[in-house]
Amino acid sequence: LTQNRMWNIARAQLDDSVKQQAELAALAFDRWVDSQRQPLITIAAVAAQQEVDPSTANLRYVMRTRRYWLGLDVVDASSRTLMSAPPKNEPPPPALVEYLLREVIRRNSWVLVTDRTRDESRPIVAIAEPVARGGAVIARIDGAAINDLFRDIELPGRTIAVFDGRGELLYREQAVTTPVAPEVTSSPLFNALGNQRVAVVELQSPYDEIRRVYGLCRAGTTDFVISVGVPSATLYEPMSRQLNRYVFFSLLALAVAVLAAIILQRSIVSPIHRLRHAAISLGRGNLGVRPPIDSASEIGELGAAFNLMASQIKEREERLTELDRLKSDFVSSVSHELRTPLTTIKTLTHVLQRTNPSAADQREYLDTIAAECDRQIDLVTNLLDLSRIESGAYEVELEPIEPGEVMLSCAKLQELSAKARGQTIVTKLPKDPLVVLANKTVLRRILCTLVENSIKYTPHPGEIILGVTSTGGEVGLCVKDNGSGIREEDLPHVFERFYRGGGASTAAGQQNSEVGNPADQPGVGLGLYLAQGLVSQLGGRMTVESEVGRGSTFTIYLPVWSDDGNEKRVEELRHVETVTGG
């Protein structure tokens, strides 16, 4: 039953393809007829005007441009020839003219018929175009013109035939060896077509006795019918063989599958059950469940994939737990960073309001309040900049600047803070000034952040060195200290947001104990993260080298400015900012 259904579907598809080929041939014939009508329409339009008649010269010109035209005549309503080309052309048979005029009047349109009065084996195609004031323009065309029409349509193994409205054969692609009456030949085809525009029928050809599948299609508004025949053996037998082969291999595959299922049933069911129980246990929250892997088969690979998935889920859960912890630490740190300065500001404000301190005390209290306000402003600014950088809204205008000047400015700003902790800031600048592509304000902020960190984590007495070096096409801006340093396990994470490393190793000795645990220092872990983000905005990069107890070195690499190269780079960076939104 399935095979029959598949065969019917396949046969219907093949029949549709033959129909489509017939429609293609009919469309080509219809366009050919239309191209032959165009000159007749023009001549009929001229002849319809009472004061204008088509000249013989015009008719001759049309005849010269039409290779297969045998004659062109203009006749009146009484079948009288008014004009003819070529002049010595044999006039069309009166019976043909009368028939065409009757058909033109009956249809009130143009007419296409075949004329076999001259030679039964070589029919002529006659086209009559009506004239508005009566009569018609008649063109007789050699039927051999259709050979050229269908010569360009390549349908390998197919036969194309054209029948007129009376069912008589006008053209056949392959020669007929045995004469056959046209009306007898075409009657089965016309019976199959009936009143339809397109049809398909399978029958034996009376020309060569080959059984074919014929696609039939009426050509436009004419009564002519185009047929495309394909030998049944060529059309159906390959599909039949393919279908039989498909059924055979399907049955063979089914038998092999059944045999394989019987053999592998026990070896498959047990691992599947174990995987099922492991999946249920994993779904209930047991992230440590791991089903055993017994073999290297597909089931074993599935078990390995399950174990990998379980490990990834466990790692993700641990990461989410860590992120939740970091979030809680961040909220706690921000709360602390906000609460402590605000408490100090509130306390000193109350003291100023309720007491009458000396001018020196007032100055000290106001300086403390200003410092705490600056601390809050820095915190809020960092949080806002974090949001702007991550959303792509942070924009930086790049220009050629001298980094040595920015370093000196930063050293001057941080000098008092360093002295308060018993530290010194040393700048080492090259004799010849270097110029980089950056933003002065942003670069000062980055350097001040690095210097503040060095001051915070460098014990008394300490030294912080700011230097500028040139390496190829880049300029390196270094901030080096001899402070507590960074643990090796913390180095990969120092530029992550909200990350704050643990205490220094005990091998660092007393030097680190003076600084204390870095995790206990004030801050929320945004400084280095923002600094790296700002360096990226400048088109540079930042590296860190550190050893516990011996200090850290942060280096910012920025492109050297040159008139011929960096102007193009500025435009490229601006274009990238425009496309990406910052």
Side-chain angles (χ1 to χ4, degrees), residues 479-529:
V479 178
K480 181 178 181 181
D481 61 59
N482 57 351
S484 59
I486 304 172
R487 297 187 306 178
E488 184 177 355
E489 59 268 26
D490 292 329
L491 276 177
H493 309 288
V494 293
F495 295 117
E496 296 179 4
R497 59 178 176 176
F498 310 137
Y499 185 85
R500 305 189 67 201
S505 171
T506 56
Q510 181 63 24
Q511 185 183 17
N512 288 328
S513 64
E514 295 178 4
V515 178
N517 190 340
D520 296 333
Q521 296 292 334
V524 294
L526 287 179
L528 291 178
Y529 174 76

Side-chain angles (χ1 to χ4, degrees), residues 218-494:
R218 296 187 187 278
T221 58
T222 68
D223 294 331
F224 281 57
V225 175
I226 312 300
S227 75
V228 175
V230 183
S232 300
T234 303
L235 188 65
Y236 293 147
E237 287 187 7
M239 178 59 68
S240 178
R241 290 195 300 268
Q242 183 177 356
L243 184 62
N244 292 333
R245 191 181 301 112
Y246 169 77
V247 172
F248 170 76
F249 284 109
S250 297
L251 294 175
L252 180 62
L254 178 62
V256 173
V258 171
L259 180 61
I262 295 174
I263 295 174
L264 300 177
Q265 180 180 9
R266 294 183 180 179
S267 60
I268 293 178
V269 172
S270 179
I272 291 294
H273 279 309
R274 289 198 297 267
L275 282 175
R276 176 176 174 273
H277 291 308
I280 293 174
S281 180
L282 181 65
R284 290 175 179 174
N286 183 10
L287 301 181
V289 62
R290 299 292 185 273
I293 301 176
D294 296 335
S295 63
S297 63
E298 287 78 2
I299 299 298
E301 294 178 0
L302 179 61
F306 180 89
N307 290 342
L308 177 61
M309 177 192 68
S311 299
Q312 291 175 343
I313 291 175
K314 185 176 181 180
E315 292 176 1
R316 185 174 301 174
E317 288 294 324
E318 293 175 350
R319 180 59 178 165
L320 290 175
T321 302
E322 177 65 16
L323 290 176
D324 187 64
R325 183 189 66 79
L326 291 176
K327 180 190 70 174
S328 299
D329 292 346
F330 169 70
V331 173
S332 176
S333 298
V334 170
S335 300
H336 176 75
E337 289 292 320
L338 290 172
R339 182 177 64 250
T340 301
L342 290 175
T343 301
T344 302
I345 294 172
K346 182 178 180 181
T347 301
L348 294 177
T349 303
H350 280 272
V351 171
L352 291 173
Q353 289 175 341
R354 298 177 183 178
T355 63
N356 188 20
S358 62
D361 291 339
Q362 289 182 11
R363 180 64 181 179
E364 180 182 355
Y365 295 161
L366 291 176
D367 289 343
T368 303
I369 291 174
E372 295 297 341
C373 287
D374 291 340
R375 181 177 170 186
Q376 300 309 298
I377 291 173
D378 289 342
L379 175 61
V380 174
T381 301
N382 286 340
L383 293 176
L384 290 176
D385 287 346
L386 171 65
S387 175
R388 292 167 59 196
I389 290 175
E390 292 185 341
S391 65
Y394 195 93
E395 297 182 2
V396 176
E397 290 292 334
L398 300 179
E399 59 183 353
I401 65 172
E402 186 179 344
E405 295 180 358
V406 180
M407 277 198 164
L408 291 174
S409 175
C410 180
K412 186 176 181 179
L413 289 174
Q414 301 296 327
E415 186 176 4
L416 293 177
S417 178
K419 286 183 178 180
R421 298 176 63 94
Q423 301 162 358
T424 57
I425 299 179
V426 179
T427 56
K428 296 182 179 181
L429 305 179
K431 295 180 180 179
D432 298 327
L434 300 173
V435 181
V436 298
L437 181 65
N439 181 281
K440 186 177 295 185
T441 303
V442 174
L443 183 57
R444 183 188 297 112
R445 182 177 175 187
I446 296 170
L447 290 172
C448 287
T449 298
L450 298 179
V451 174
E452 288 174 1
N453 278 354
S454 294
I455 294 173
K456 187 187 300 183
Y457 296 109
T458 300
H460 171 74
E463 184 181 58
I464 300 169
I465 301 174
L466 279 66
V468 178
T469 59
S470 176
T471 56
E474 294 180 317
V475 172
L477 284 67
C478 304
V479 178
K480 181 178 181 181
D481 61 59
N482 57 351
S484 59
I486 304 172
R487 297 187 306 178
E488 184 177 355
E489 59 268 26
D490 292 329
L491 276 177
H493 309 288
V494 293

